[in-house]
Amino acid sequence: MAKKKLNAIQRGFVQKVVRTYRTASLDSVLLLAGILPLDLRIQEAAAIYEIKKGFSQRIVGDRVVETRVPYNNKVHPSEREETEYTCLEDCAELPNSIINIYTDGSKIEGTVGAALSIWDGAVETKTRKLKLDNCCTVYQVELLAINAATNIALATPGNYNILSDSRSALQTLADPDDTHPLAEEARKNIRRIKTRGNTINLYWVKAHVGITGNERADALAKDAALKLKKKPDYEQCPVSNRLCGISPSLQA
């Protein structure tokens, strides 16, 4: 009954949008207008709300929609610390006694990749490439790259600088109340690294100004996106990608 009322409401204005005859069916005018039926739009909005609030672990095909970490699973507010980052001046020198990990991500020609370039002094000692599902966003890939850098720092004790040209990703990490799963995991890694007595610093660097490590990470990320053939290291659909995660019936 409710669906019939919604259809009756929608049919009138969609017919005016496409300037068709009053006898045209609702399905045909919706198709011409490129508009979702109201009942599906309501379901979509409800699903997005549930995912954002962490109430849903919706699976679409072989993909999982990225969900926020439930607030009660986070560290108690009294124990949270801000994860600060520093804006580094162009080409400023970093201490040679600390290992520098440059991170970057790329979404190019519909493919997505991330990379890490690890430097000990003036020498690149190691690189790592990561592959993401094509539905992932640049924001996700930048967060994944930083997260991977914290994993390396946690696995191999030492003092580290992590350098990224994504201020949005670093700002997410700096917000102790943000519940993005990649940011939350990175913050936990950073706390564990500091607890054992090691140093880990986060830096924002300006892209494409001649910083060797950053340029190297950028080239590796593009190469990972275009050429890396492997199962994605991260394939959760962002909530913002509706066709990827919310309305599979419309993808035929």
Side-chain angles (χ1 to χ4, degrees):
M1 186 67 180
K3 184 177 179 179
K4 288 184 178 180
K5 290 183 178 180
L6 289 172
N7 288 345
I9 294 170
Q10 191 173 29
R11 182 178 178 182
F13 74 78
V14 177
Q15 285 177 336
K16 292 179 180 179
V17 169
V18 297
R19 297 181 180 180
T20 187
Y21 292 108
R22 295 177 62 184
T23 54
S25 68
L26 175 61
D27 291 340
S28 61
V29 292
L30 286 173
L31 183 62
L32 290 170
I35 297 175
L36 276 176
L38 280 178
D39 60 312
L40 292 182
R41 183 66 185 88
I42 292 169
Q43 292 176 32
E44 179 188 67
I48 292 174
Y49 176 83
E50 289 177 358
I51 292 166
K52 285 183 176 179
K53 296 299 181 180
F55 301 144
S56 173
Q57 190 71 13
R58 185 172 292 256
I59 298 176
V60 181
D62 60 349
R63 295 171 177 172
V64 177
V65 177
E66 186 178 72
T67 58
R68 295 284 174 160
V69 175
Y71 202 75
N72 57 359
N73 288 356
K74 290 175 62 65
V75 175
H76 191 275
S78 63
E79 300 176 2
R80 292 178 197 165
E81 298 179 1
E82 288 190 6
T83 306
E84 297 181 352
Y85 69 93
T86 302
C87 293
L88 199 65
E89 295 297 328
D90 296 354
C91 303
E93 293 185 4
L94 294 165
N96 290 329
S97 59
I98 295 181
I99 297 172
N100 297 318
I101 305 179
Y102 291 87
T103 70
D104 209 348
S106 177
K107 184 160 188 173
I108 182 171
E109 297 181 13
T111 59
V112 191
L116 289 73
S117 177
I118 304 171
W119 294 69
D120 188 350
V123 179
E124 183 184 55
T125 59
K126 188 177 180 181
T127 63
R128 185 182 177 193
K129 297 177 183 178
L130 301 167
K131 185 69 175 177
L132 288 83
D133 190 274
N134 293 343
C135 73
C136 292
T137 63
V138 173
Y139 173 70
Q140 285 177 302
V141 74
E142 295 282 6
L143 273 177
L144 180 68
I146 296 173
N147 182 45
T150 64
N151 283 327
I152 290 174
L154 182 63
T156 309
N159 299 320
Y160 291 86
N161 293 321
I162 297 175
L163 303 100
S164 169
D165 59 16
S166 173
R167 186 168 290 185
S168 60
L170 290 169
Q171 286 175 338
T172 298
L173 280 175
D175 181 1
D177 295 324
D178 190 277
T179 55
H180 194 286
L182 291 172
E184 183 66 13
E185 182 180 347
R187 281 192 290 267
K188 287 181 180 179
N189 289 343
I190 291 170
R191 283 196 297 270
R192 292 173 64 185
I193 291 167
K194 290 182 177 179
T195 299
R196 73 185 181 199
N198 289 126
T199 298
I200 182 165
N201 303 307
L202 299 176
Y203 290 96
W204 173 80
V205 293
K206 191 173 182 179
H208 309 303
V209 292
I211 300 176
T212 304
N214 178 256
E215 296 294 340
R216 174 66 171 155
D218 178 68
L220 290 168
K222 290 177 179 175
D223 190 67
L226 293 171
K227 300 179 181 179
L228 199 58
K229 306 297 182 185
K230 58 177 286 190
K231 181 180 178 181
D233 297 284
Y234 193 82
E235 53 187 348
Q236 294 193 12
C237 295
V239 176
S240 59
N241 194 337
R242 295 176 181 174
L243 290 182
C244 179
I246 306 300
S247 302
S249 61
L250 302 178
Q251 300 182 55

